[in-house]
Amino acid sequence: MKKGDNLRLSKILTCAVAAAGLAASGAWAFQSKPIPRNQWQLKMDAAEQAVKAGDLAAAEKNLLDALSAAEMFGPNDQHLLVTLDELGSLYERLGHYDQAERAYRRALDIWRRALGPDSPMVAKSLERLAAVYQAEGKQADALAGYQRAVTLLQKAGKGGDPLVATGLEAMGEIDRARGNYADAAGHYSQALKIWDKNFGPDHPLIAHAMNNLGSLLVQEGKAADAEPLYLHALTMVEKTMGPDQPYSAPILNNLGDLYYDQHRYAEAEKVYAHSLAISQKSLGPDDPNTAKVMNSLALAYDADSKPGEAEPLYQQSLHIWERASGPESADVATSLNNLASFYYSQGRYAQAEPLFKRSVAIVEKTEGPEHPDVAHALTNYAALLRKTGRAGEADKMVARAKEILAKHSGETSP
């Protein structure tokens, strides 16, 4: 938000009410007292500048200060909503999903108190909260949130609204993750029709839908059909928005994954490197999403027998996740395992062992001692123990891993 935007903010919020089919007076139940520039607005400006500079810790501090200022003006103040949404978005970016969930829940409660539980404006807040649930792996809660949001909009006569397409697309993602491919295809197709009707066939959102359909085809074992969809989607985005836009990154990542799985490592390296350059420019070098692409590129270099290129990327991605998500996050556990596996493949067992050990401990703590991921982590660690002459310890770990996997249907033994 730029300086001098107090008036612009009020206009945006009034338009939001109009979009919900409500009058700016009467049905609008928010307090609207002037906010002193030296409190809320200055803190919001400072948070915006901190985000642009990549200083997310400073952004969080300023947003929390802005939240304190907004709270002085009552529990339903419109500036409180804006701050909570920005704070939730920042926590999402940092991977602090529990804090994002709290911020979005609080904003949702305000919308419901002010406009009623069936207001279309509640739908947008529901979708934001559902996206956090989805990131946390709470798929049932996420699906329920998206379904509720879509239903609210459809009942309000807004079934063709792009927000409905957003919800349907997310529901398709959940169905795809659960292996419900027919339901996923149906949701993706409905979303595609809405976006096409609203924006036309060449809009980047159409490319986004094609990217999702490509991912679905990959999971159905139809990678050959997925590749042309990815390439066409990428061409659409680059034609309408330019070659180095953030919108290209998810398509490049999926295309890179396809090439990697097909052992086309040189092609995977090329598209991952392109995606990494975009992420570093648009999100910053220390963003968790940048780390994800960096890790993918490291895996491609590793598989292509380029250890000199792979190692620094493994290390950098680990350091980014440790700073952004904390030393015991799921992303850190994955990164530790990948770096440890790299050291193992290079015969650097002394460097690999503490990383394997730490990865197992994190997964046990975050997922529970009987989670399948624990079994996979134990299997990797056991391979190192066996390689270093500790077959007895390795056998115990493998036996424990098999016991864990036996409790989970659909899992295969290591």
Side-chain angles (χ1 to χ4, degrees):
M1 190 171 297
K2 299 175 182 177
K3 293 184 178 179
D5 272 356
N6 279 339
L7 178 60
R8 184 169 68 85
L9 171 66
S10 67
K11 287 184 178 179
I12 289 172
L13 291 170
T14 302
C15 290
V17 180
L22 300 170
S25 60
W28 185 250
F30 296 118
Q31 292 102 8
S32 184
K33 297 182 181 180
I35 303 295
R37 282 287 302 179
N38 61 347
Q39 293 183 39
W40 184 82
Q41 186 65 59
L42 287 178
K43 291 298 181 181
M44 293 295 287
D45 288 344
E48 182 184 14
Q49 293 304 314
V51 169
K52 289 181 178 178
D55 190 350
L56 302 187
E60 180 186 11
K61 182 181 184 303
N62 281 294
L63 284 173
L64 290 172
D65 288 343
L67 184 63
S68 297
E71 285 170 338
M72 296 170 59
F73 297 90
N76 291 349
D77 187 80
Q78 55 190 336
H79 297 79
L80 190 57
L81 273 173
V82 174
T83 313
L84 287 168
D85 281 344
E86 291 295 327
L87 195 57
S89 179
L90 177 67
Y91 285 139
E92 274 193 277
R93 182 169 173 177
L94 288 168
H96 298 168
Y97 299 120
D98 56 337
Q99 292 166 286
E101 183 180 332
R102 286 196 292 270
Y104 286 147
R105 274 185 171 279
R106 190 175 171 190
L108 177 60
D109 289 342
I110 295 173
W111 280 116
R112 282 172 166 163
R113 285 198 306 268
L115 302 178
D118 296 327
S119 167
M121 291 303 294
V122 171
K124 186 172 184 179
S125 193
L126 280 167
E127 287 200 357
R128 284 177 173 166
L129 182 58
V132 174
Y133 287 145
Q134 194 173 359
E136 291 178 298
K138 299 177 181 178
Q139 304 294 3
D141 292 333
L143 187 60
Y146 288 126
Q147 287 173 329
R148 175 63 176 159
V150 169
T151 299
L152 283 179
L153 291 165
Q154 289 173 334
K155 285 184 176 179
K158 298 178 180 291
D161 191 284
L163 194 59
V164 172
T166 302
L168 289 168
E169 184 266 343
M171 290 162 64
E173 285 291 286
I174 295 171
D175 286 329
R176 181 167 64 87
R178 289 177 163 182
N180 300 329
Y181 300 135
D183 290 340
H187 286 131
Y188 285 150
S189 296
Q190 289 178 63
L192 182 59
K193 289 177 182 177
I194 293 172
W195 279 324
D196 187 27
K197 186 174 181 179
N198 279 271
F199 305 115
D202 295 325
H203 194 276
L205 281 171
I206 304 299
H208 175 70
M210 293 175 66
N211 182 47
N212 288 334
L213 286 169
S215 297
L216 179 60
L217 289 169
V218 168
Q219 289 196 267
E220 290 182 302
K222 301 174 182 177
D225 295 328
E227 184 177 356
L229 274 179
Y230 288 147
L231 292 171
H232 185 49
L234 186 61
T235 299
M236 288 175 64
V237 172
E238 292 181 341
K239 181 180 178 180
T240 57
M241 302 180 72
D244 298 314
Q245 295 300 314
Y247 220 90
S248 298
I251 306 171
L252 288 166
N253 292 337
N254 284 341
L255 187 59
D257 291 346
L258 183 148
Y259 290 149
Y260 179 87
D261 290 340
Q262 293 180 335
H263 307 292
R264 296 159 64 181
Y265 300 126
E267 292 168 277
E269 291 160 20
K270 182 179 179 180
V271 294
Y272 283 144
H274 188 183
S275 178
L276 179 59
I278 292 172
S279 295
Q280 288 173 325
K281 182 178 179 180
S282 61
L283 300 175
D286 297 323
D287 190 270
N289 289 298
T290 299
K292 289 181 181 179
V293 186
M294 196 176 287
N295 186 68
S296 295
L297 180 56
L299 287 167
Y301 281 139
D302 193 357
D304 202 18
S305 301
K306 297 178 179 178
E309 289 89 340
E311 183 174 3
L313 293 175
Y314 280 135
Q315 293 171 336
Q316 289 175 53
S317 59
L318 174 60
H319 294 154
I320 293 170
W321 273 320
E322 286 178 324
R323 288 194 300 269
S325 306
E328 296 184 338
S329 71
D331 287 331
V332 168
T334 299
S335 188
L336 285 166
N337 179 77
N338 289 345
L339 182 56
S341 297
F342 169 79
Y343 287 145
Y344 174 83
S345 69
Q346 299 294 307
R348 296 157 66 178
Y349 305 129
Q351 289 172 277
E353 182 163 1
L355 303 184
F356 276 135
K357 193 171 185 178
R358 188 179 158 200
S359 179
V360 170
I362 292 172
V363 177
E364 286 181 324
K365 183 176 180 179
T366 58
E367 303 291 350
E370 301 300 315
H371 194 277
D373 287 348
V374 174
H376 301 315
L378 288 169
T379 302
N380 289 341
Y381 191 4
L384 182 142
L385 292 174
R386 197 176 304 281
K387 196 75 173 181
T388 54
R390 288 171 284 175
E393 293 178 66
D395 289 342
K396 290 178 182 178
M397 279 195 181
V398 170
R400 184 186 164 198
K402 288 181 177 179
E403 288 177 5
I404 293 171
L405 292 180
K407 298 176 182 179
H408 295 272
S409 61
E411 293 286 345
T412 55
S413 299

